[in-house]
Amino acid sequence: MLSRVLSAYVIGIEAHLIEVEVDISAKGLPHFSMVGLPNASVKESKDRIKAALKNIGFRFPLKQITINLAPADLKKEGSSLDLPIAIGIIASEGIMPLNSMTDYMLAGELSLDGRLKPLRGVLPMALEAKRLGLKGIILPAESAAEAAIVDGIDVFRMNSLLDAIEFLGGISKKEPFTIDRHAAMTEGSLYEDDFSDVKGQEHAKRALEVAAAGSHNVLMIGPPGSGKTMLSKRLPTILPPMTFAEALDTTKTHSVAGLLKSGQSLLATRPFRSPHHTISDVALIGGGQTPRPGEVSLAHHGILFLDELPEFKRNVLEVLRQPLENGFVTVSRAAATVTYPAQFVLVSSMNPCPCGYYGDNSRHQCTCTPNMIARYRSRVSGPLMDRIDIHVDVPAVPYKDLSNDYFGEKSEDVRHRVIKARDVQLNRFKDDRIFANGQMKTRHIKKYCKLTESAHSLLDVAMQKLGLSARAYSRILKVSKTIADLDGSASIDSHHIAEAIQYRTLDRDQF
């Protein structure tokens, strides 16, 4: 008898429909055959299913069993097909109606005693089930909260294979599992850190406010212990709150990577990823023999922080150029090409010199020669530096700032100004397929960056006196436009240009 069960397989961050066809024949010698490009982990499901059926009181049929995983040209990996294959075998044996499962998508890994274990990538599966117009999706109980965030699809939680058999066979009834989406969004958007935790560094705080308002990439330069990491960790708290669509995108990526906590339904805080400088290019960009999202994709809609930027391997830093330019990563392999989203703000930090104390003579004497400093800086390539709009000095905090009782602005107050500036940019770029000043190309700069006469004069003097490069020119215009947006000004004035020039530390040949 032939049965057909619907399931899904995740490639990249998108789920694709899999039809599990099971045919059981009493003719011939007992044989178990699985076709449709299953890998070793899928083929091993036979042993898991056989033990699970025995331990819940069913007998594994000693017949000719043929299982087809369609489409046959798509390689299948993982253990999520255990449940649909087991249900297909049960249905083909006539234990349940053949049409009882055609309106549902099933996914789940079986343990030997028949329990269902949680899965990765459940959220993309639920979205695919909704797109296909199915009645519902049947999942392990621990994975249901993640799928229930999708509106318009019923999610049924199952603790075991026996629960699924009884539900699909009409023996027991279950109510769809639901969650409060508004509560999940509210509870998931709380940050533990706050900008007011940082003592001093008002200049650096202002630079990060500008970066958040215009989605500009930032490089902070300062000695060890000056607060670069502390400032970076608080940048997500002043970015605009995530929309539900952004939270769904971010959750999909983390779900595929298996990083969601048990029972977590939504990731509503902007991610902050801080990989160690020993990371490989594959771990940063994504890929591998079985492609998985890398750090740039896990930072989607959030912050990627690279501490001690020159310590990263050159080839690792070079792979950042595509996601910084395009907002996505394409990983090509012989079997398939996978695309991951990667729209993030790059925040990086570095010491001013190899020893870390250049310009900080009040605490330590720098021991580096000019050649050593030049070699240290050259570890970061020009093309990557071209994609960083803001360079800001973060000096050591003096004792009087650390010991006083003054606390700076709270993140909520800074965020209010950032949201106001972002709204201006969203309205400005509504027809340009970009959403922030940091994404402007040359044609956008020419169209939107209108300078007053005094601003023209100041920029002319700065270019000549400070020896600024052509790339610094466009960066200054983009940053100054963001400063003008924060100021509520339609045009770029001289004081906007003056502040933007301050954020080009590495272009002044100070080393």
Side-chain angles (χ1 to χ4, degrees), residues 396-407:
V397 183
Y399 174 75
K400 65 176 182 179
D401 288 342
L402 290 172
S403 59
N404 65 30
D405 295 330
Y406 172 74
F407 290 91

Side-chain angles (χ1 to χ4, degrees), residues 259-274:
L259 296 179
L260 289 183
K261 299 176 183 176
S262 178
Q264 185 177 10
S265 58
L266 196 67
L267 186 66
T269 55
R270 295 196 178 272
F272 179 87
R273 304 295 299 182
S274 179

